Amino acid sequence: MHVSETARNAWTRRGFMKGALAAGTAGVALSMSDRIAMATQMITGGRPTIEAIRGVGVQPGLVRMSLNENPLGPSPRAIEAMANRLFGVNRYGTDLSDLMQALSTFDGVELPEPDNSRRRSFFRPPPGPFMLTPGSSLILDLLCLAYLSRDGGEVIEAEYGYGSVSRSASGYNDMFGVDVNIIRAPMTPEYKHDLDGMASLASDKTSLVVITNPNNPTGTLLQPDEIEAFVKKVPSSAIVVIDEAYLHFAEQDPIPSAIPLAVKYDNVVVVRTFSKAYALAAVRLGYCVASQKVQDELRKYYQESPNTLASVAGAAAVRDLEHLQKSREAVWDFKKRCYAAFDEMGIEYLPSQGTFVMADLKRSAMQVVREMRTRNVWISSRRQQEFRNWIRVSAGTEAETEVFIQTLKDVLAKSS
């Protein structure tokens, strides 16, 4: 088959990059035009419509505010970094050193001096406080495998916490007959982790204690000094797991991370994801900061590393502090708009330090969720008995948030 010179040039590195960057520019322009359209509608007394929505990463005409995704999309630097590496994906191995250096700078964690006496290998991750995996969910699963799957044990997790570790542990009981005791600790009246109560439940039988901070779905936040006091109360044999998936969105600076505790204490593990603040959910990248002792246990069950595209995208995203701050501010603006709308509508809600807000509709939340979905506005509900009347709505752009609010008003008015 004959291929023209023009077509051939389109597949050169330069041609590909030009196209990729043009596509990125088009996305920015589209987002800006959406903002202008929204402003025009507001000035003229109209309102944004579902038909005008052009969300990043979803099909036109869909408002997806159900999965705690970053509505702005990833850093352009991360996209460019992946594009630059596309022509090398035929080669095995991933060099994680640049990503670890970026994380070291951002998290304030010192890396060990490189051991030049060891033969360098792309297949062996360098030693240090960071363990990188394809997504943070894998780290939570590995913790269950390492500390529960062989001899059983005990898990303590907040009653309305994320619950991933408890669900995995429950599977060991149901499918494999491994004796795992799961304790769901009550929370405070403000739906915050009751650390004193959790500490009183811990014993020498406790294998894992899980804290989601900020908590999902209630959005409450603990400070590092509170967590450290808790770590000192529980047996040192218990691994304290702190899931900081949403910590970048905490409304304070510097962000109140427990990573220094993971460096200080051998039994503390801090888990982070690139799916939220860095908007790389589909790339699958996560990491934890943990002692070498804990990492050695986890590596008994998993020896692989993230792929090359994830590694370079992650390093670029971590260094793009401007885009990170824009993502934070977009989430903060979303929450302020929701709070104002809920106050106006007389709807109770939980102020949140995450990318989402829980609101009590005083009626079956699932019915409202289903009706809104028929209108292409996706939100979620919590199925616990305590929250059967509550919706959880994730951050959206300005236009998406306005469409969500108006759609919710319409649905509630027609079902009242």
Side-chain angles (χ1 to χ4, degrees):
M1 180 177 67
H2 176 70
V3 180
S4 68
E5 190 65 26
T6 300
R8 185 180 295 111
N9 288 340
W11 285 99
T12 63
R13 183 184 302 272
R14 180 178 297 178
F16 177 86
M17 281 301 302
K18 182 177 180 181
L21 294 178
T25 304
V28 172
L30 183 62
S31 175
M32 183 60 69
S33 67
D34 187 41
R35 286 174 177 268
I36 294 173
M38 176 185 162
T40 301
Q41 289 167 333
M42 293 178 70
I43 291 170
T44 59
R47 66 189 188 216
T49 64
I50 190 70
E51 292 80 12
I53 292 297
R54 298 292 184 271
V56 178
V58 295
Q59 62 265 38
L62 173 65
V63 171
R64 193 162 88 175
M65 301 170 70
S66 56
L67 296 174
N68 297 343
E69 297 159 324
N70 186 325
L72 298 190
S75 159
R77 296 185 188 179
I79 296 172
E80 184 176 4
M82 286 189 286
N84 282 332
R85 287 297 182 91
L86 278 178
F87 290 90
V89 296
N90 59 312
R91 302 296 182 180
Y92 289 115
T94 303
D95 185 353
L96 298 176
S97 58
D98 188 49
L99 175 54
M100 287 194 174
Q101 187 59 59
L103 290 173
S104 170
T105 300
F106 184 88
D107 291 325
V109 176
E110 187 176 349
L111 294 176
E113 290 294 326
D115 185 356
N116 296 323
S117 65
R118 295 179 62 195
R119 184 173 66 87
R120 185 179 181 186
S121 171
F122 288 131
F123 300 97
R124 183 188 301 117
F130 298 104
M131 179 176 174
L132 295 121
T133 60
S136 61
S137 295
L138 178 58
I139 296 171
L140 299 178
D141 289 341
L142 291 174
L143 286 162
C144 290
L145 283 168
Y147 293 99
L148 298 172
S149 66
R150 289 169 294 187
D151 303 316
E154 183 175 270
V155 176
I156 300 175
E157 192 161 6
E159 185 177 10
Y160 304 120
Y162 180 49
S164 174
V165 171
S166 295
R167 287 189 291 272
S168 294
S170 178
Y172 294 147
N173 277 334
D174 297 340
M175 291 186 289
F176 307 117
V178 177
D179 185 17
V180 179
N181 183 30
I182 302 167
I183 301 175
R184 299 304 296 264
M187 303 185 80
T188 70
E190 296 78 27
Y191 299 108
K192 188 176 180 179
H193 284 74
D194 182 352
L195 294 182
D196 288 338
M198 293 177 74
S200 69
L201 295 171
S203 69
D204 292 339
K205 299 179 181 179
T206 304
S207 307
L208 297 173
V209 183
V210 185
I211 296 171
T212 307
N213 196 46
N215 187 47
N216 177 14
T218 63
T220 50
L221 180 70
L222 300 169
Q223 297 299 319
D225 58 341
E226 296 178 89
I227 298 174
E228 182 167 23
F230 171 78
V231 171
K232 292 178 178 178
K233 292 179 182 178
V234 301
S236 59
S237 57
I239 304 298
V240 179
V241 182
I242 305 162
D243 186 347
E244 294 187 343
Y246 301 97
L247 193 74
H248 298 79
F249 298 101
E251 297 180 37
Q252 66 183 80
D253 288 309
I255 59 174
S257 177
I259 282 180
L261 303 182
V263 175
K264 183 176 180 180
Y265 296 96
D266 284 346
N267 65 324
V268 175
V269 179
V270 173
V271 183
R272 291 271 188 88
T273 180
F274 280 75
S275 297
K276 311 302 179 182
Y278 298 120
L280 294 172
V283 171
R284 309 309 301 142
L285 183 62
Y287 70 99
C288 70
V289 177
S291 66
Q292 195 62 53
K293 180 180 179 181
V294 169
Q295 289 191 45
D296 287 344
E297 289 299 313
L298 302 186
R299 293 191 194 282
K300 289 178 181 178
Y301 299 91
Y302 190 80
Q303 294 283 344
E304 297 295 325
S305 298
N307 66 62
T308 295
L309 298 183
S311 175
V312 297
V318 170
R319 292 187 173 108
D320 192 349
L321 299 181
E322 181 180 359
H323 188 77
L324 173 61
Q325 186 62 20
K326 286 180 180 178
S327 296
R328 299 178 78 200
E329 291 173 358
V331 169
W332 298 343
D333 289 344
F334 148 79
K335 288 187 291 187
K336 289 176 185 176
R337 180 68 186 97
C338 283
Y339 297 161
F342 292 153
D343 285 338
E344 176 190 336
M345 299 164 68
I347 293 176
E348 180 185 349
Y349 59 90
L350 300 180
S352 170
Q353 293 290 324
T355 63
F356 45 81
V357 179
M358 290 275 288
D360 185 2
L361 303 183
K362 306 296 184 184
R363 66 187 77 183
S364 173
M366 277 306 300
Q367 293 181 10
V368 174
V369 169
R370 291 192 189 103
E371 177 59 29
M372 293 189 70
R373 183 165 286 220
T374 67
R375 304 178 187 212
N376 275 357
V377 178
W378 292 15
I379 58 175
S380 66
S381 68
R382 303 294 92 187
R383 300 193 178 221
Q384 297 101 326
Q385 182 69 16
E386 177 78 14
F387 292 120
R388 65 185 184 277
N389 293 333
W390 293 68
I391 59 170
R392 187 195 69 183
V393 55
S394 307
T397 62
E398 293 177 54
E400 289 169 334
T401 303
E402 293 303 323
V403 169
F404 153 70
I405 291 170
Q406 191 57 54
T407 304
L408 179 64
K409 287 179 179 180
D410 291 345
V411 169
L412 292 180
K414 290 182 179 179
S415 62
S416 61

